[in-house]
């Protein structure tokens, strides 16, 4: 981890932007899955799980469909575990109906290298066999290192590799925002 | 954390991290695929100089569920019975590239010595009458699972404290986590230094039971007794055994624990051992998850 002082944080999305992006994604999920009847939303902790719950609320609001929602921790499936000390685990909470034969929509806050999603796909495989897996992300910042793309994107955000994207959500951070932190030297 | 040798080495945060990690890992045991790829390519050696069934199997299951390679080494029929020293055995393991060595040894302090000779992490699976930290962790985990907390719990540990590594590890860990421990035993089965332990001592089980949230019964370790510590098994059982009448003195939410193996009819009656308020069977299952957590936290990250 780089610890940078005097970083300038620039807000690229404010609360209302995030609100609108999630509303659009919820509509797109309903459209693409024809009513979301067999959809399970699984967020990647910590903030992906919060976003999954927000999407489930909206889907219920728009069409009255109660979509099962949960979270899937990917720590034990990471490919960089040996590059740092052992990490604490996040919460895995698979809805009671399971994921077999369902369309699973993975939800994460930022899509970057794609390695987290790769780990999530491995984790899913150990829990069950979904009919299809889709990916929703609030921010796609580019710089993919694996052949992975998102099905639902809140905002495409061109970034330099050295920049950092920070997603703040009111449930965890007290306010909603997406901030871009300028290039910290390694 | 590099090694897990004494429960007393764990800070409150470290102990809670192990318990919280175990809580997440417990879900793995409920899935159809009970395996995680986390320790793929790592080697865990089970080095057992003393007989053990549940601890060895438990560590083996834990390592395998994390995809580690497991090498079992028991002293019987090995080069140790030909006179090899612990140090030479350790150097052999070192040459095999063990990332973690789980050791049970009859001599107190053996894991501590071993930690100086190998590069990998050492996990103490019981050394003489000294410590058994993963047992204490799984006991704490079981208490938290049943009663929702550890802080402020009143725990009575009853029986052969003198020969019990489980008792010592539990006293150290539980006091770190904020529980109040009372040891109950005949004076002959208490170690001399017990007044320096962070706990209270009583000789009267009947007085302690009504105040306890957890009663942990220990096995009378006849194999370690080379002198008469009490007049007869029957007299011991009458004064310190947990039978139906004593069980009735516990309050309604209190639980009964036993690290196993049990001597039914001696320190615990069959009826109490099989009651729904006994955690004896779930302690075994929890042992696997707690040991998974310990292995993950010790060798899941970078090599130090």
């Amino acid at each position: 981890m780089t610890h940078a002082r005097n970083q300038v944080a620039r807000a690229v999305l404010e609360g209302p932007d995030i609100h609108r992006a999630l509303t659009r994604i919820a509509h797109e999920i309903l459209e693409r899955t024809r009513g979301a009847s067999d959809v399970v939303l699984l967020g990647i902790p910590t903030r992906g799980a919060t976003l999954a719950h927000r999407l489930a609320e909206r889907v219920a609001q728009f069409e009255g469909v109660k979509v099962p929602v949960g979270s899937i921790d990917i720590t034990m499936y990471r490919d960089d575990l040996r590059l740092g000390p052992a990490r604490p685990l996040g919460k895995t909470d698979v809805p009671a109906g399971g994921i077999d034969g369902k369309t699973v929509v993975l939800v994460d806050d930022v899509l970057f290298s794609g390695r987290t999603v790769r780990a999530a796909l491995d984790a899913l495989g150990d829990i069950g066999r979904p009919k299809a897996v889709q990916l929703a992300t609030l921010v796609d910042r580019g710089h993919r290192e694996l052949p992975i793309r998102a099905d639902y994107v809140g905002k495409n955000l061109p970034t330099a590799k050295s920049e950092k994207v920070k997603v703040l959500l009111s449930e965890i951070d007290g306010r909603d925002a997406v901030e871009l932190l300028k290039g910290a030297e390694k | 954390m590099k090694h897990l040798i004494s429960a007393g080495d764990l800070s409150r945060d470290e102990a809670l991290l192990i318990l919280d990690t175990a809580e997440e890992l417990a879900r793995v045991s409920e899935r159809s695929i009970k395996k995680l790829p986390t320790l793929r390519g790592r080697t865990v050696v089970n080095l057992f100089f003393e007989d053990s069934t549940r601890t060895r199997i438990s560590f083996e299951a834990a390592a395998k569920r994390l995809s580690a390679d497991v090498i079992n080494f028991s002293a019987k029929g090995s080069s140790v019975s030909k006179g090899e020293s612990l140090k030479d055995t350790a150097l052999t393991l070192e040459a095999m590239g063990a990332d973690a060595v789980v050791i049970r040894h009859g001599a107190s302090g053996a894991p501590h010595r071993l930690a100086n000779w190998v590069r990998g992490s050492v996990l103490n699976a019981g050394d003489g009458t000294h410590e058994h930290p993963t047992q204490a962790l799984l006991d704490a985990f079981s208490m938290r699972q049943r009663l929702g907390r550890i802080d402020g719990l009143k725990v009575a540990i009853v029986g052969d404290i003198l020969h019990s590594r489980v008792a010592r590890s539990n006293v150290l860990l539980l006091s770190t986590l904020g529980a109040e421990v009372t040891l109950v035993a005949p004076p002959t089965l208490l170690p001399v230094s017990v007044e320096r332990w962070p706990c209270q001592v009583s000789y009267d089980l009947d007085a302690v039971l009504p105040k306890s949230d957890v009663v942990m019964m220990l096995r009378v370790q006849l194999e370690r007794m080379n002198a008469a510590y009490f007049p007869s098994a029957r007299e011991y059982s009458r004064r310190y055994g947990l039978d139906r009448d004593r069980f009735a003195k516990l309050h309604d939410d209190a639980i009964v624990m036993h690290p196993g193996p049990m001597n039914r009819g001696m320190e615990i009656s069959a009826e109490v051992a099989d009651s729904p308020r006994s955690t004896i069977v779930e302690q075994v299952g929890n042992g696997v998850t707690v040991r998974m957590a310990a292995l993950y936290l010790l060798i899941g990250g970078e090599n130090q």
Side-chain angles (χ1 to χ4, degrees), chain B residues 53-119:
Chain B
T53 318
R54 73 190 67 216
T55 306
R56 188 180 57 74
I57 291 176
S58 182
F59 265 111
E60 185 171 350
K64 284 183 169 167
R65 283 198 183 161
L66 293 171
S67 304
D69 296 313
V70 181
I71 299 173
N72 283 314
F73 178 105
S74 67
K76 272 184 196 146
S78 72
S79 46
V80 172
S81 57
K82 298 172 190 161
E84 188 177 64
S85 72
L86 178 62
K87 183 166 186 182
D88 287 328
T89 308
L91 295 176
T92 309
L93 299 176
E94 188 64 28
M96 281 191 246
D99 295 291
V101 180
V102 177
I103 178 174
R104 163 159 301 188
H105 201 286
S108 304
H112 185 77
R113 296 305 303 274
L114 185 68
N116 294 324
W117 295 325
V118 296
R119 255 173 300 164

Side-chain angles (χ1 to χ4, degrees), chain A residues 75-77 81-93 125-127, chain B residues 17 21 24-25 27 31 33 35-38 40 42 66 296-297 300-302:
Chain A
T75 309
M76 301 298 265
Y77 294 87
L81 278 173
R82 287 172 192 207
L83 301 180
R87 300 155 182 262
L89 304 187
K91 209 157 193 58
T92 296
D93 175 21
D126 282 355
I127 294 174
Chain B
L17 177 62
T21 304
E24 284 304 319
L25 292 174
R27 291 152 199 259
R31 312 192 316 202
I33 300 176
K35 208 168 174 80
L36 293 165
T38 316
R40 216 155 56 90
R42 304 252 161 151
L66 293 171
Y296 165 65
L297 292 169
E302 66 192 321

Side-chain angles (χ1 to χ4, degrees), chain A residues 97-151:
Chain A
I99 59 166
D100 286 339
K102 304 280 176 61
T103 298
V104 171
V105 179
L106 288 171
V107 184
D108 203 0
D109 52 354
V110 181
L111 180 58
F112 185 23
S113 67
R115 288 175 192 268
T116 303
V117 177
R118 199 275 316 154
L121 291 172
D122 281 358
L124 275 184
D126 282 355
I127 294 174
R129 187 180 182 280
K131 187 177 76 185
V133 183
Q134 300 180 343
L135 174 62
T137 180
L138 182 60
V139 175
D140 181 349
R141 60 166 296 190
H143 304 289
R144 213 75 78 242
E145 293 164 5
L146 294 170
I148 280 167
R149 63 166 178 77
D151 300 88

Side-chain angles (χ1 to χ4, degrees), chain B residues 259-282:
Chain B
M262 282 183 279
N263 292 326
R264 283 173 187 254
M266 177 91 171
E267 70 269 5
I268 190 165
S269 75
E271 196 181 344
V272 175
D274 298 331
S275 98
R277 276 156 61 196
S278 133
T279 65
I280 296 167
V281 176
E282 68 205 50

